[in-house]
Amino acid sequence: AGLACKRGALAAERIQMLRSSHELIHRRVSRWLDSTALWRDRCHSVKAYAEKFSKLPSAQSNLEKVKQLGNWLQYVRSRLWLIPSKQLAELKEAHPLASQLVEEWTTGRKSWSMACRKLDMFIRQHGRLPTTRFSDEERNLYEWLYRHGRMYKTLQPQRAQWLSNVSPLVAERIKSLDDPKYKWHLRFQELDFFVRKKGRLPSQARILSSERSLARWLTVQLGSLHKLSAHQIACLSASDSLISCELQRRRNDESEQNETSSQSAVDKWTQSFTDLVCFLEEHGRLPVTSKGGAERRLASWLSKRKHALNSFSIEQLTKLKNAHPLLEARVEQWFDPLRSWRLKCNLLAAFV
């Protein structure tokens, strides 16, 4: 609960339950929610370590606590331009070594501009972006561009502008890394151009690797239509008649398969429900996974129903609730996910 609270992943309702359970717990939660308090604690730990060992903590340390501090320093560096200047000043005041480290981070603009110049010279000389297939220097440029392209949104505005202005090729690469759908549209344009030019769909039996790659991409798209957005489906439908006909054929096949699997799923649900009712009447309790065999299968089936509440029909839900009091209580628990949380809060308050 503390880790989720620090990360901002805990719902406000659950935080309120924790706070209202006891005064000591209220203080602890308040500390978790105060990011500046956590920052001060980290700075104090860095100071204590640096004063004792005359060096800064390393992420490669074998000691877990030292490793955590080292990882925290690396995290601070990766988010340097998002951290308020007041907090950076607190870290610099912790110890001269920490001050020197922050200064090195903030004066890294020279190496940044040098890397941009190297990238610009490479593109002017070769007319393309660097790859990993040739020299070590080119591989280093590729890794640098890929790393900073992925974190483009978190870069300092000035650095982001420098990177975009290096070349239109760089700006296009950054856009593709930032928007996964951009790559899809590029591949779709290649497919549409190929079909209109050749008058046929690409084949995986051809000699050219580019055509085989395009054919595999089309096969993947048609085989996972449920993962495509409405816009992507519309693009395929509005393209050349060969593509739209193939799309329609796949959709018809998928519709037939869904009808068959839907009926099969209903039959399986009815059979499992019947087996569960028989188990309850015979043993007077719900099945558990620790017993193994048929009981484990029933317990697993019942557990999966919790995560499929939205797919229940009214008839199925009614059958579950009316079958047995234990089942009715379990279904009510599914619809009240905070029940166990409230119980834990009450137990914690009683302990304190």
Side-chain angles (χ1 to χ4, degrees), residues 17-31 348-349 352:
M17 286 184 188
L18 272 177
R19 280 181 152 180
S20 60
S21 59
H22 195 276
E23 179 61 28
L24 292 177
I25 301 173
H26 185 280
R27 294 176 188 174
R28 177 64 62 86
V29 173
S30 299
R31 187 181 174 207
L348 180 60
V352 174

PDB file of all heavy atoms in Angstrom, residues 17-31 348-349 352:
ATOM      1  N   MET A  17      -9.521   5.790   3.492  1.00  0.00           N
ATOM      2  CA  MET A  17      -9.766   4.714   4.458  1.00  0.00           C
ATOM      3  C   MET A  17      -8.550   4.495   5.351  1.00  0.00           C
ATOM      4  O   MET A  17      -8.680   4.311   6.569  1.00  0.00           O
ATOM      5  CB  MET A  17     -10.095   3.421   3.712  1.00  0.00           C
ATOM      6  CG  MET A  17     -11.476   3.387   3.090  1.00  0.00           C
ATOM      7  SD  MET A  17     -11.783   1.776   2.346  1.00  0.00           S
ATOM      8  CE  MET A  17     -13.330   2.102   1.504  1.00  0.00           C
ATOM      9  N   LEU A  18      -7.358   4.503   4.727  1.00  0.00           N
ATOM     10  CA  LEU A  18      -6.141   4.328   5.513  1.00  0.00           C
ATOM     11  C   LEU A  18      -5.969   5.470   6.512  1.00  0.00           C
ATOM     12  O   LEU A  18      -5.670   5.251   7.687  1.00  0.00           O
ATOM     13  CB  LEU A  18      -4.922   4.277   4.584  1.00  0.00           C
ATOM     14  CG  LEU A  18      -4.514   2.905   4.024  1.00  0.00           C
ATOM     15  CD1 LEU A  18      -3.341   3.060   3.070  1.00  0.00           C
ATOM     16  CD2 LEU A  18      -4.135   1.950   5.155  1.00  0.00           C
ATOM     17  N   ARG A  19      -6.169   6.689   6.070  1.00  0.00           N
ATOM     18  CA  ARG A  19      -5.964   7.842   6.928  1.00  0.00           C
ATOM     19  C   ARG A  19      -6.924   7.860   8.112  1.00  0.00           C
ATOM     20  O   ARG A  19      -6.560   8.277   9.219  1.00  0.00           O
ATOM     21  CB  ARG A  19      -6.143   9.129   6.114  1.00  0.00           C
ATOM     22  CG  ARG A  19      -4.928   9.506   5.289  1.00  0.00           C
ATOM     23  CD  ARG A  19      -5.173  10.782   4.532  1.00  0.00           C
ATOM     24  NE  ARG A  19      -3.942  11.496   4.285  1.00  0.00           N
ATOM     25  CZ  ARG A  19      -3.874  12.650   3.644  1.00  0.00           C
ATOM     26  NH1 ARG A  19      -4.980  13.213   3.202  1.00  0.00           N
ATOM     27  NH2 ARG A  19      -2.719  13.245   3.437  1.00  0.00           N
ATOM     28  N   SER A  20      -8.136   7.446   7.872  1.00  0.00           N
ATOM     29  CA  SER A  20      -9.153   7.519   8.926  1.00  0.00           C
ATOM     30  C   SER A  20      -9.091   6.338   9.892  1.00  0.00           C
ATOM     31  O   SER A  20      -9.820   6.308  10.872  1.00  0.00           O
ATOM     32  CB  SER A  20     -10.547   7.589   8.296  1.00  0.00           C
ATOM     33  OG  SER A  20     -10.795   6.449   7.499  1.00  0.00           O
ATOM     34  N   SER A  21      -8.221   5.361   9.638  1.00  0.00           N
ATOM     35  CA  SER A  21      -8.185   4.174  10.493  1.00  0.00           C
ATOM     36  C   SER A  21      -7.484   4.440  11.829  1.00  0.00           C
ATOM     37  O   SER A  21      -7.881   3.902  12.862  1.00  0.00           O
ATOM     38  CB  SER A  21      -7.497   3.021   9.767  1.00  0.00           C
ATOM     39  OG  SER A  21      -6.179   3.367   9.396  1.00  0.00           O
ATOM     40  N   HIS A  22      -6.401   5.303  11.830  1.00  0.00           N
ATOM     41  CA  HIS A  22      -5.691   5.583  13.084  1.00  0.00           C
ATOM     42  C   HIS A  22      -4.799   6.806  12.882  1.00  0.00           C
ATOM     43  O   HIS A  22      -4.360   7.092  11.766  1.00  0.00           O
ATOM     44  CB  HIS A  22      -4.846   4.372  13.501  1.00  0.00           C
ATOM     45  CG  HIS A  22      -4.379   4.423  14.923  1.00  0.00           C
ATOM     46  ND1 HIS A  22      -3.247   5.107  15.304  1.00  0.00           N
ATOM     47  CD2 HIS A  22      -4.893   3.885  16.059  1.00  0.00           C
ATOM     48  CE1 HIS A  22      -3.076   4.982  16.607  1.00  0.00           C
ATOM     49  NE2 HIS A  22      -4.056   4.252  17.094  1.00  0.00           N
ATOM     50  N   GLU A  23      -4.492   7.506  13.947  1.00  0.00           N
ATOM     51  CA  GLU A  23      -3.691   8.719  13.871  1.00  0.00           C
ATOM     52  C   GLU A  23      -2.272   8.428  13.380  1.00  0.00           C
ATOM     53  O   GLU A  23      -1.708   9.157  12.554  1.00  0.00           O
ATOM     54  CB  GLU A  23      -3.635   9.391  15.255  1.00  0.00           C
ATOM     55  CG  GLU A  23      -2.791  10.662  15.294  1.00  0.00           C
ATOM     56  CD  GLU A  23      -3.312  11.741  14.361  1.00  0.00           C
ATOM     57  OE1 GLU A  23      -4.525  11.767  14.096  1.00  0.00           O
ATOM     58  OE2 GLU A  23      -2.494  12.558  13.895  1.00  0.00           O
ATOM     59  N   LEU A  24      -1.643   7.343  13.888  1.00  0.00           N
ATOM     60  CA  LEU A  24      -0.284   6.996  13.451  1.00  0.00           C
ATOM     61  C   LEU A  24      -0.245   6.661  11.964  1.00  0.00           C
ATOM     62  O   LEU A  24       0.686   7.023  11.245  1.00  0.00           O
ATOM     63  CB  LEU A  24       0.248   5.823  14.276  1.00  0.00           C
ATOM     64  CG  LEU A  24       0.518   6.107  15.748  1.00  0.00           C
ATOM     65  CD1 LEU A  24       0.959   4.835  16.452  1.00  0.00           C
ATOM     66  CD2 LEU A  24       1.586   7.189  15.898  1.00  0.00           C
ATOM     67  N   ILE A  25      -1.277   5.943  11.527  1.00  0.00           N
ATOM     68  CA  ILE A  25      -1.353   5.589  10.105  1.00  0.00           C
ATOM     69  C   ILE A  25      -1.571   6.850   9.276  1.00  0.00           C
ATOM     70  O   ILE A  25      -1.015   6.995   8.182  1.00  0.00           O
ATOM     71  CB  ILE A  25      -2.479   4.568   9.868  1.00  0.00           C
ATOM     72  CG1 ILE A  25      -2.220   3.300  10.689  1.00  0.00           C
ATOM     73  CG2 ILE A  25      -2.588   4.210   8.390  1.00  0.00           C
ATOM     74  CD1 ILE A  25      -3.350   2.304  10.653  1.00  0.00           C
ATOM     75  N   HIS A  26      -2.375   7.785   9.815  1.00  0.00           N
ATOM     76  CA  HIS A  26      -2.627   9.055   9.122  1.00  0.00           C
ATOM     77  C   HIS A  26      -1.310   9.802   8.903  1.00  0.00           C
ATOM     78  O   HIS A  26      -1.058  10.346   7.814  1.00  0.00           O
ATOM     79  CB  HIS A  26      -3.589   9.902   9.957  1.00  0.00           C
ATOM     80  CG  HIS A  26      -4.001  11.177   9.281  1.00  0.00           C
ATOM     81  ND1 HIS A  26      -3.194  12.297   9.269  1.00  0.00           N
ATOM     82  CD2 HIS A  26      -5.128  11.498   8.582  1.00  0.00           C
ATOM     83  CE1 HIS A  26      -3.797  13.260   8.599  1.00  0.00           C
ATOM     84  NE2 HIS A  26      -4.977  12.810   8.174  1.00  0.00           N
ATOM     85  N   ARG A  27      -0.439   9.827   9.896  1.00  0.00           N
ATOM     86  CA  ARG A  27       0.844  10.518   9.764  1.00  0.00           C
ATOM     87  C   ARG A  27       1.729   9.849   8.717  1.00  0.00           C
ATOM     88  O   ARG A  27       2.397  10.521   7.925  1.00  0.00           O
ATOM     89  CB  ARG A  27       1.567  10.541  11.117  1.00  0.00           C
ATOM     90  CG  ARG A  27       0.869  11.368  12.181  1.00  0.00           C
ATOM     91  CD  ARG A  27       1.618  11.249  13.499  1.00  0.00           C
ATOM     92  NE  ARG A  27       0.875  11.877  14.589  1.00  0.00           N
ATOM     93  CZ  ARG A  27       1.252  11.809  15.864  1.00  0.00           C
ATOM     94  NH1 ARG A  27       2.349  11.116  16.190  1.00  0.00           N
ATOM     95  NH2 ARG A  27       0.532  12.399  16.801  1.00  0.00           N
ATOM     96  N   ARG A  28       1.745   8.507   8.753  1.00  0.00           N
ATOM     97  CA  ARG A  28       2.575   7.779   7.793  1.00  0.00           C
ATOM     98  C   ARG A  28       2.113   8.015   6.360  1.00  0.00           C
ATOM     99  O   ARG A  28       2.926   8.260   5.460  1.00  0.00           O
ATOM    100  CB  ARG A  28       2.546   6.284   8.115  1.00  0.00           C
ATOM    101  CG  ARG A  28       3.314   5.396   7.137  1.00  0.00           C
ATOM    102  CD  ARG A  28       4.801   5.708   7.148  1.00  0.00           C
ATOM    103  NE  ARG A  28       5.395   5.465   8.446  1.00  0.00           N
ATOM    104  CZ  ARG A  28       5.850   4.277   8.838  1.00  0.00           C
ATOM    105  NH1 ARG A  28       5.755   3.230   8.041  1.00  0.00           N
ATOM    106  NH2 ARG A  28       6.398   4.140  10.030  1.00  0.00           N
ATOM    107  N   VAL A  29       0.803   7.983   6.139  1.00  0.00           N
ATOM    108  CA  VAL A  29       0.265   8.209   4.791  1.00  0.00           C
ATOM    109  C   VAL A  29       0.560   9.627   4.334  1.00  0.00           C
ATOM    110  O   VAL A  29       0.901   9.858   3.158  1.00  0.00           O
ATOM    111  CB  VAL A  29      -1.249   7.925   4.757  1.00  0.00           C
ATOM    112  CG1 VAL A  29      -1.848   8.314   3.408  1.00  0.00           C
ATOM    113  CG2 VAL A  29      -1.521   6.447   5.024  1.00  0.00           C
ATOM    114  N   SER A  30       0.443  10.598   5.241  1.00  0.00           N
ATOM    115  CA  SER A  30       0.731  11.994   4.894  1.00  0.00           C
ATOM    116  C   SER A  30       2.178  12.148   4.454  1.00  0.00           C
ATOM    117  O   SER A  30       2.495  12.908   3.534  1.00  0.00           O
ATOM    118  CB  SER A  30       0.445  12.912   6.082  1.00  0.00           C
ATOM    119  OG  SER A  30      -0.925  12.844   6.445  1.00  0.00           O
ATOM    120  N   ARG A  31       3.057  11.405   5.090  1.00  0.00           N
ATOM    121  CA  ARG A  31       4.473  11.450   4.712  1.00  0.00           C
ATOM    122  C   ARG A  31       4.689  10.836   3.332  1.00  0.00           C
ATOM    123  O   ARG A  31       5.487  11.320   2.538  1.00  0.00           O
ATOM    124  CB  ARG A  31       5.301  10.700   5.751  1.00  0.00           C
ATOM    125  CG  ARG A  31       6.791  10.833   5.541  1.00  0.00           C
ATOM    126  CD  ARG A  31       7.553  10.058   6.576  1.00  0.00           C
ATOM    127  NE  ARG A  31       8.978  10.072   6.289  1.00  0.00           N
ATOM    128  CZ  ARG A  31       9.801   9.123   6.663  1.00  0.00           C
ATOM    129  NH1 ARG A  31       9.354   8.077   7.311  1.00  0.00           N
ATOM    130  NH2 ARG A  31      11.092   9.216   6.390  1.00  0.00           N
ATOM    131  N   LEU A 348      -5.791  -3.403  10.844  1.00  0.00           N
ATOM    132  CA  LEU A 348      -4.599  -2.618  11.120  1.00  0.00           C
ATOM    133  C   LEU A 348      -4.860  -1.610  12.223  1.00  0.00           C
ATOM    134  O   LEU A 348      -4.026  -1.440  13.131  1.00  0.00           O
ATOM    135  CB  LEU A 348      -4.171  -1.897   9.833  1.00  0.00           C
ATOM    136  CG  LEU A 348      -2.919  -1.002   9.910  1.00  0.00           C
ATOM    137  CD1 LEU A 348      -1.721  -1.828  10.330  1.00  0.00           C
ATOM    138  CD2 LEU A 348      -2.667  -0.318   8.585  1.00  0.00           C
ATOM    139  N   ALA A 349      -6.024  -0.954  12.177  1.00  0.00           N
ATOM    140  CA  ALA A 349      -6.374   0.011  13.225  1.00  0.00           C
ATOM    141  C   ALA A 349      -6.507  -0.667  14.590  1.00  0.00           C
ATOM    142  O   ALA A 349      -6.062  -0.148  15.598  1.00  0.00           O
ATOM    143  CB  ALA A 349      -7.684   0.720  12.848  1.00  0.00           C
ATOM    144  N   VAL A 352      -2.956  -1.374  15.870  1.00  0.00           N
ATOM    145  CA  VAL A 352      -2.264  -0.169  16.346  1.00  0.00           C
ATOM    146  C   VAL A 352      -2.866   0.297  17.666  1.00  0.00           C
ATOM    147  O   VAL A 352      -2.168   0.688  18.589  1.00  0.00           O
ATOM    148  CB  VAL A 352      -2.362   0.945  15.281  1.00  0.00           C
ATOM    149  CG1 VAL A 352      -1.765   2.244  15.823  1.00  0.00           C
ATOM    150  CG2 VAL A 352      -1.628   0.519  14.020  1.00  0.00           C
TER     151      VAL A 352
END
